[in-house]
Amino acid sequence: MKPRDTPPQNEWALQFPKIEGKPTDEERKAFTAARLELQSWIMRDFDKTMTATVKSVAVFLLESVNSETLFCYPSYRTICETISIGKEKTVQRAIAALVARGWLYAWRTGRTDTYNYLFLKNEEKVSQIADYLTTKRDAREEDRKRRDWTFLTTRENAFRPQMSTRERTKMSTKSFNGTHEVFLGIESGEFSLEHNPYAIASHGDDTDSPYEIPIDETEAENVLDQICHGYAVHHLVRGTLKDFLLHGTLTPSRVLGLLGREAA
């Protein structure tokens, strides 16, 4: 028996079948879809009280809901044993957090009975989470756009024109747009990493500043193509370069050491 203050049925996230205990195939599919959608929103709840433990408890409770009756009343002990939580107090606090955030309604009929749980749509929180995710996605897109710019300027030094970080150009970090220039240290057979087009790009004379971490595997391979251009690089050496690059520890001086040994 539910208490009098139980939320109205239109606020429930999961609905009874029209004939209690006999859901149709379509009703079962709708139940499964609603449960997965609710789980997705709960997992994306950014509130600091929604810890990994709280979300694990929520997922277990969702999986425990009977599609025919909507009954869900596992004991604290069952939850602890199933998802490896050490103390029942931890489960109790997790459920309290879900109730406070509006995802769950909990009640029990007697002081010694286990709690019953009813999941709610929580439309206000869903709207807040959707706005938050949109903001984060827009921020990532803006960051990608900024990373697609390389700041280059040309200056003359004792050897030949060299690039450094001053003037904004449309040249992308992902490729050099097919532009081919002759670098004597590469194409005449001399070993001189300072003339490698990527090794000097965006770093000027600072050989100990790490290259920017690529955003994905494709960009990483493009960067390695620029770094290794003109050298017969063993696949193991290239793999080492890639590991350093992806971990943000690849510097021009480190490239010089690896490719120098390879050339020798």
Side-chain angles (χ1 to χ4, degrees):
M1 180 179 294
K2 298 182 180 65
R4 292 181 178 180
D5 61 349
T6 302
Q9 191 167 345
N10 63 349
E11 294 182 10
W12 300 358
L14 308 172
Q15 299 295 322
F16 281 116
K18 291 181 180 179
I19 302 176
E20 186 172 350
K22 296 181 179 180
T24 64
D25 289 342
E26 290 300 319
E27 287 173 332
R28 289 185 186 277
K29 290 178 181 178
F31 174 87
T32 301
R35 182 164 59 180
L36 290 174
E37 181 181 9
L38 180 61
Q39 176 179 312
S40 176
W41 287 118
I42 291 175
M43 295 302 289
R44 286 166 172 76
D45 191 341
F46 56 86
D47 189 81
K48 64 181 180 181
T49 63
M50 295 294 291
T51 63
T53 299
V54 173
K55 293 177 180 180
S56 295
V57 170
V59 171
F60 176 75
L61 292 178
L62 271 171
E63 291 178 347
S64 301
V65 178
N66 187 304
S67 63
E68 298 180 1
T69 64
L70 297 190
F71 288 162
C72 178
Y73 45 84
S75 66
Y76 291 162
R77 181 176 178 178
T78 298
I79 298 172
C80 285
E81 291 176 350
T82 305
I83 58 178
S84 303
I85 294 178
K87 298 179 180 180
E88 292 185 10
K89 280 287 186 183
T90 303
V91 174
Q92 187 176 0
R93 287 193 293 268
I95 291 172
L98 291 168
V99 172
R101 284 293 287 169
W103 296 113
L104 199 65
Y105 176 76
W107 80 96
R108 60 181 176 181
T109 55
R111 296 185 63 181
T112 59
D113 295 331
T114 59
Y115 275 93
N116 295 272
Y117 304 106
L118 179 67
F119 281 94
L120 306 175
K121 291 180 179 178
N122 205 3
E123 292 177 347
E124 180 181 353
K125 292 294 186 297
V126 167
S127 178
Q128 293 173 359
I129 295 169
D131 291 342
Y132 173 80
L133 293 176
T134 298
T135 300
K136 297 293 285 184
R137 184 169 56 249
D138 291 344
R140 288 195 300 270
E141 182 62 28
E142 287 299 318
D143 185 58
R144 285 195 195 96
K145 290 179 180 178
R146 285 194 296 269
R147 293 181 65 173
D148 281 344
W149 289 86
T150 301
F151 297 88
L152 300 173
T153 188
T154 302
R155 73 169 186 263
E156 295 291 335
N157 60 17
F159 302 96
R160 58 191 54 81
Q162 185 176 353
M163 294 172 286
S164 66
T165 58
R166 287 180 191 162
E167 185 176 279
R168 186 170 185 161
T169 75
K170 194 64 176 175
M171 187 175 289
S172 169
T173 57
K174 295 181 181 179
S175 70
F176 277 73
N177 297 330
T179 303
H180 181 74
E181 296 181 47
V182 175
F183 289 84
L184 296 180
I186 294 174
E187 299 188 6
S188 65
E190 302 173 19
F191 178 80
S192 178
L193 187 64
E194 67 181 13
H195 307 312
N196 182 294
Y198 192 83
I200 57 177
S202 303
H203 291 277
D205 298 323
D206 189 356
T207 60
D208 293 320
S209 295
Y211 297 113
E212 187 176 0
I213 299 175
I215 61 175
D216 52 32
E217 288 285 330
T218 300
E219 183 176 343
E221 292 298 332
N222 288 335
V223 169
L224 289 173
D225 289 342
Q226 304 291 339
I227 291 175
C228 299
H229 179 69
Y231 299 101
V233 180
H234 192 276
H235 70 92
L236 293 178
V237 175
R238 186 182 175 100
T240 301
L241 289 169
K242 184 175 181 179
D243 287 341
F244 286 141
L245 180 64
L246 292 175
H247 286 84
T249 58
L250 185 64
T251 64
S253 60
R254 178 165 276 176
V255 172
L256 179 61
L258 288 171
L259 292 189
R261 288 194 295 272
E262 180 77 355

